[in-house]
Amino acid sequence: MFSPIDLERWDRRAIFEEFLGLDCSFALTRELTITRFHSYVKARGLRFYPSLVWAVVTAVNQHKEFRMGLDPQGRPGFYDLVHAEYTVLDRRSHNMASLNTEYDRDFSAFYRAMSAALDRFEADGTLTASREDSVLLSCVPWFSYTGLSFQMKSSLNFLRPMFVWGRFQERQGNIILPFTFQVHHGAADGYHCHLFFQSLEQILAEPDHFLAWSGMT
């Protein structure tokens, strides 16, 4: 469900309109410690990609600034819930494609749904429909990196955040993941990104509490 913002009462209106006019997005790259999260996933024989996608989208859904969009009339508003649109490599052509999985607060349910979508794509190239109430996620597991930015012709009508992570590395007993987050400045400031990272890092540090995996892979 999409709820338009009452612009007359919105305390962020001036900031939103200024950055929308400037067509301004920004990207942050951070190293995340995923030691406990990785151990939890590995110990249960789970795939890392759908596990981390769930963690990221769960953190996103805790903060309305990253559930922002525009309706067909161009009015800004917030989705009650956003879902996962993520890239996958076509091993036949070596081109990237996008799949979409509806978010579920229950990790096990989401994990099974996304794994099934990945398996179908791997088997016969089955795609899923894109949807506006999604955030964009991608992974470059072939290498690590220290910085990343997205160059877009125009972000005026693109308020959805984008997330990318690379190959993780072991360092001094910890597993470190490069993670990039890009968002339109009209939707969020650095403070909101700080809140997002707090939510995500809590999930990564306490997977037993948040993932609560049950059942077969």
Side-chain angles (χ1 to χ4, degrees):
M1 180 177 175
F2 182 85
S3 300
I5 296 168
D6 182 349
L7 293 178
E8 297 304 319
R9 299 184 179 183
W10 191 28
D11 60 3
R12 191 177 167 78
R13 178 177 180 175
I15 298 172
F16 172 79
E17 292 178 342
E18 178 180 2
F19 283 119
L20 197 69
L22 291 172
D23 194 9
C24 178
S25 295
F26 65 92
L28 297 170
T29 296
R30 289 190 56 195
E31 291 186 331
L32 300 179
T33 299
I34 61 166
T35 311
R36 291 183 179 178
F37 186 86
H38 181 266
S39 295
Y40 182 96
V41 169
K42 184 176 180 181
R44 287 156 182 79
L46 302 175
R47 296 176 176 179
F48 185 77
Y49 193 26
S51 301
L52 187 56
V53 165
W54 180 87
V56 173
V57 181
T58 296
V60 167
N61 274 307
Q62 294 177 16
H63 303 284
K64 66 178 182 179
E65 291 79 14
F66 309 115
R67 292 185 273 110
M68 194 172 184
L70 301 173
D71 69 7
Q73 290 74 45
R75 297 177 299 175
F78 301 108
Y79 292 103
D80 289 347
L81 200 68
V82 292
H83 307 280
E85 185 166 322
Y86 49 91
T87 61
V88 59
L89 176 68
D90 187 334
R91 300 185 187 279
R92 295 163 287 259
S93 65
H94 293 158
N95 291 327
M96 302 300 291
S98 290
L99 302 178
N100 195 293
T101 297
E102 183 175 346
Y103 175 70
D104 195 307
R105 291 181 176 87
D106 179 82
F107 167 70
S108 299
F110 177 85
Y111 179 91
R112 291 188 180 96
M114 180 169 166
S115 293
L118 291 170
D119 289 342
R120 287 192 298 269
F121 179 80
E122 181 72 20
D124 57 20
T126 298
L127 297 173
T128 57
S130 181
R131 50 194 297 174
E132 285 297 315
D133 56 345
S134 297
V135 295
L136 306 182
L137 309 105
S138 189
C139 177
V140 286
W142 310 281
F143 56 86
S144 186
Y145 63 85
T146 56
L148 176 68
S149 64
F150 305 90
Q151 304 301 319
M152 303 170 67
K153 182 178 180 181
S154 176
S155 57
L156 282 174
N157 296 318
F158 197 87
L159 300 179
R160 294 188 287 172
M162 302 172 67
F163 303 90
V164 179
W165 52 90
R167 186 183 185 93
F168 54 74
Q169 298 178 315
E170 293 190 31
R171 191 185 305 160
Q172 297 179 342
N174 281 313
I175 299 178
I176 307 299
L177 182 80
F179 184 91
T180 300
F181 175 14
Q182 177 156 317
V183 65
H184 198 292
H185 211 338
D189 299 322
Y191 174 71
H192 305 111
C193 296
H194 154 70
L195 296 178
F196 163 79
F197 277 115
Q198 276 192 330
S199 298
L200 177 58
E201 289 173 329
Q202 186 177 17
I203 297 170
L204 298 177
E206 303 176 41
D208 295 82
H209 173 71
F210 288 97
L211 273 65
W213 168 255
S214 61
M216 301 295 290
T217 58

